[in-house]
Each structure stands twice: as C-alpha cells, then as structure tokens.
Amino acid sequence: NEESFHAFAEKQGTAIVEQLENIRDLQLEGLAQFYTARDQISTEEFQQFARSLTRNVSVTTWAWIPAVPAAERERFEAAARAAGYPDFAIWQRDATGQRVPASSRGMYYPVFQVAQPTRLQSVTGNDSGAEPRRLAALETTLATGLTTGTDPVTLASETAGQRGMVIYRPVFSRDDGRRLRGFVGCSVRMEQLLRAGVPADRVPLMEIALLHKGAPPESLATTWNAATPPAAGRSAVRPLLAFGKIFTITVHEGPVPARNSPLQPAGLTLLFGVVLTGTVVALTRVSL
C-alpha cells in the first residue's frame, strides 16, 4: 500500500511538471520565436497563432508586452489607436483598484496583444511595470535572459483569495541581440494547474506551495475546500524548480472513487487471496 501510494503521488507530480515544461519550452517559447522572427505582427496574426495556445486550461491569458520608452509613449498610444484600439492608453491601477493613467517612468511595459477567454476583463494597456511583483520578474528575466515567473499575484480572472503566476520571456531584436523589443507572457492559474487533465470526480488531494528562504512555504492552491482539509495520513512531497522559483507539490491520501484508487490493485489482490484460500479449504474438506 505504501509503495502504491507513492507511485500514485509520483505520477501526479510528474503530470504537473510536464504541464509547466510544456508552457515554458513549447508554448511560450514558440510565441517568443514568432515575435523574434518578425518586426511587425498584426492583432489578427497574433490571434491566429495563439488560437492553439488558448486550449491550455491552466493559462488564462497569453500576451505580447512591448517595451515602450517614455519618450515614445504618446507615439505608441497614437499608433495603437490607429491600429484598431480606439481607446488605447497605457494605464495602471491606483490604491483603490481604479484604472488611472500610468505614472511617469523611464520605461513602460503595456499589455498590448492579448489572447484570453472573453469572460475576463480587458487588460490591454495595463502597464506590467507598475506592479512591484510583475516588475521584479520582468527585471529578472531581462537580466538573466531566462523565462521567469512572478511571486504569487491576483490574476484578472481571480478574486483576492486565489493566486496565480505571470510568466515572462524576453524578446530581443533579431538584428541586435541586445535591443529589447518586449516580452511574451502568460498567466497561470495554480488551482487549475493541479486539476488539469483529471475528471472532476477523480481529482486527488493536492497542494502546490512556493518556498521562501527563511520563511514557511506559501500555499498557492489546493484541490480541497479550505474548510475540510485532508485528514492525517499518508502524504508525499515533490520539489519542483521552475521559472526561477522553488515549489513543492504535496499529494495527500484521501477518499477517491474505487476505480481511481492507487490502492485498488492491493485490495483486489487481498480479495483474490481470501477467495483462493477459502476455495482451497473447501476442496480439502471435500477430499477428506
């Protein structure tokens, strides 16, 4: 039973690792190469390319985020309005959560071309550099050249109690590898990441947490209701290094349908053993 549970937990952890690797190495990288190869990409072309990306239920938004120097802000906004965004402006949220024009700074990183489900509020024009956690990830990925994720943030699709991560990959000019053009990014909903690919009635009890140096792990999402945490029992923890962060994926033993239980083979073996023993006893009595 112990071996069976840990094999089951390893399978669940591996599935999450594969999802994140697919986002980083295939989907986000493919979008980055698309922008590297061409200087100008229309909104229609972006939407066509991103159509397959939006099938990933763990990602709520795919976006192109250009780097706009302060001196070019007005020209960029005018060009965006002429390109089919009549109300486009670079904006941020104030302390009360209201949209206001972005404050003056040397560089802006507005969300420009976006592929997202229509149920989400529009984020076009939102300056990613106005929010500290997003800005920190942008600066890190720019300094390292590596795909980088933010610390937990509230995504446009979520309420204050649900956490997600925005992942950025820098895009440089194909003619000058030092000239930053912008970033491709995607927003990952952590709870959906745990549930992806598993039928609703067969989701195991899992938690993903972010590790911080000198502090307790920060829970990002669970597959159970906060009011009914898993009972004490078996659990397995798997570390995960991704996007410049260290996570843990914890799988807890809990009630699951019999057809999905990792312990089912052991139970069937026990049942078969009992039946076989009873049969042998019965045959022995008959032969006597």
Side-chain angles (χ1 to χ4, degrees):
N1 283 353
E2 187 74 22
E3 291 178 357
S4 181
F5 169 74
H6 283 283
F8 172 75
E10 178 66 19
K11 178 181 178 181
Q12 301 305 313
T14 299
I16 295 173
V17 171
E18 290 176 348
Q19 286 187 70
L20 293 176
E21 288 178 344
N22 183 56
I23 291 172
R24 181 192 63 199
D25 299 335
L26 298 179
Q27 297 177 314
L28 200 60
E29 183 63 24
L31 187 58
Q33 293 300 330
F34 182 49
Y35 274 92
T36 300
R38 299 178 57 185
D39 293 332
Q40 297 294 328
I41 295 175
S42 69
T43 298
E44 292 73 19
E45 290 171 327
F46 169 78
Q47 294 294 340
Q48 182 71 22
F49 184 91
R51 184 173 299 172
S52 62
L53 301 180
T54 58
R55 297 172 186 163
N56 187 334
V57 296
S58 300
V59 178
T60 63
T61 306
W62 299 91
W64 165 241
I65 306 165
V68 181
E72 298 180 19
R73 174 177 177 174
E74 292 185 6
R75 183 194 62 80
F76 181 85
E77 290 176 329
R81 290 191 286 268
Y85 298 89
D87 300 320
F88 184 87
I90 301 177
W91 58 275
Q92 66 185 65
R93 296 196 183 278
D94 62 15
T96 65
Q98 300 301 310
R99 288 175 56 157
V100 297
S103 303
S104 298
R105 47 183 156 266
M107 186 72 75
Y108 299 95
Y109 304 107
V111 177
F112 186 47
Q113 291 168 329
V114 183
Q116 62 181 8
T118 56
R119 70 179 185 275
L120 301 183
Q121 60 181 321
S122 176
V123 295
T124 303
N126 186 16
D127 182 17
S128 301
E131 199 277 318
R133 292 194 170 193
R134 287 175 169 83
L135 178 59
L138 290 170
E139 291 176 340
T140 298
T141 191
L142 184 57
T144 63
L146 302 176
T147 302
T148 303
T150 65
D151 280 345
V153 295
T154 299
L155 305 178
S157 60
E158 307 295 353
T159 63
Q162 297 170 318
R163 319 294 284 286
M165 169 184 286
V166 184
I167 303 167
Y168 299 109
R169 196 279 202 187
V171 175
F172 298 92
S173 170
R174 59 178 174 175
D175 300 323
D176 181 359
R178 296 172 298 178
R179 183 174 69 84
L180 176 70
R181 291 184 56 207
F183 303 85
V184 291
C186 65
S187 301
V188 179
R189 186 186 183 200
M190 289 301 178
E191 182 178 348
Q192 192 60 40
L193 181 71
L194 296 179
R195 296 177 178 274
V198 183
D201 63 339
R202 299 169 65 181
V203 177
L205 299 176
M206 292 192 294
E207 178 180 24
I208 185 167
L210 177 64
L211 299 186
H212 297 283
K213 184 177 181 180
E218 180 179 5
S219 179
L220 304 182
T222 66
T223 59
W224 63 79
N225 189 305
T228 56
R234 291 189 183 94
S235 66
V237 181
R238 173 173 180 162
L240 167 63
L241 177 62
F243 313 118
K245 309 290 182 184
I246 302 177
F247 304 89
T248 57
I249 301 169
T250 305
V251 181
H252 295 271
E253 187 177 24
V256 293
R259 66 180 181 277
N260 188 51
S261 173
L263 305 183
Q264 184 183 24
L268 291 177
T269 301
L270 176 61
L271 177 61
F272 179 76
V274 171
V275 173
L276 180 61
T277 301
T279 302
V280 171
V281 171
L283 291 177
T284 301
R285 288 180 177 177
V286 170
S287 63
L288 293 175

